[in-house]
Each structure stands twice: as C-alpha cells, then as structure tokens.
C-alpha cells in the first residue's frame, strides 16, 4: 500500500536504539525506551498560508530526524510500525543525513 501524508504531515520510520550501553552492558527490550530518532519515509506537499500559497517543507525523504518522545500517531503500514506527525513536531535534522549533505 502506498501512503502519502497530507499537508504538513510526515511519515517516519523509527530508528532502533543500541542494544548495548557505552560500557558494554546489554539492554533488555523491557528497559528500552522508544527511540526519538527516525528516518523520513514520505512527506506531504506542505501547509498553505493565509493567501493559499504552499509553505515548503524543511524535511524530505531520507532525512534522519529527532522528534519529541510523545510526538506523532503510531500506525501500521504494510505490517510495519511507523509514525505520522506534523513537521512542527520535528526538532531537527541530524548531521550526516541527506539534507545536511546537500547543504
């Protein structure tokens, strides 16, 4: 199933956190927090301003992003758990992502 977010919404795939701590301890699944980092899978066309003009999105497909712990709505698309969130829920693009390389 193809999915395209509307307006200023973004479809995000969470990036799993490390299995070990810096000291080498293995973190059990029950102790792991949901990651607040992800990769943009799809973006909407952007919101409209008061004049009806599109406001360009600051993120694009492939960008690695950081978002708030409780941001977005969890959905299952083709059996994969993803998040749909507004662009304003995204705190920033992580260095080394496709957008940062293009800049």
């Amino acid at each position: 199933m193809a999915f395209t977010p509307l307006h200023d919404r973004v479809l995000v795939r969470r990036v799993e956190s490390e299995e070990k701590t810096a000291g080498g301890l293995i973190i059990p699944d029950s102790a792991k927090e949901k990651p607040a980092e992800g990769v943009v899978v799809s973006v909407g066309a952007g919101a409209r301003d008061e004049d009806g003009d599109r406001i360009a999105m600051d993120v694009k497909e492939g960008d690695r992003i950081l978002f708030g712990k409780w941001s977005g709505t969890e959905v299952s698309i083709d059996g994969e758990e993803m998040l749909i969130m507004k662009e304003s829920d995204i705190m920033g693009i992580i260095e080394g992502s496709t957008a940062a390389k293009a800049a």
Side-chain angles (χ1 to χ4, degrees), residues 15-79:
V15 176
E16 292 301 319
S17 58
E18 292 292 322
E19 299 286 324
K20 294 182 182 180
T21 65
L25 297 174
I26 296 174
I27 303 169
D29 287 339
S30 59
K32 286 183 188 174
E33 289 188 23
K34 288 187 179 182
E37 199 174 304
V39 175
V40 176
V41 176
S42 183
V43 297
R48 292 191 181 270
D49 63 16
E50 292 177 5
D51 297 328
D53 297 325
R54 288 261 182 216
I55 301 170
M57 299 284 279
D58 290 327
V59 295
K60 64 179 190 289
E61 289 181 29
D63 283 349
R64 191 175 180 111
I65 59 165
L66 188 65
F67 52 86
K69 188 174 183 178
W70 306 109
S71 298
T73 301
E74 294 183 355
V75 295
S76 180
I77 298 177
D78 291 336

Side-chain angles (χ1 to χ4, degrees), residues 68-94:
K69 188 174 183 178
W70 306 109
S71 298
T73 301
E74 294 183 355
V75 295
S76 180
I77 298 177
D78 291 336
E80 185 176 2
E81 295 297 318
M82 296 201 192
L83 290 169
I84 299 173
M85 66 182 68
K86 287 190 164 247
E87 186 182 33
S88 60
D89 290 338
I90 298 171
M91 291 188 246
I93 299 170
I94 298 172

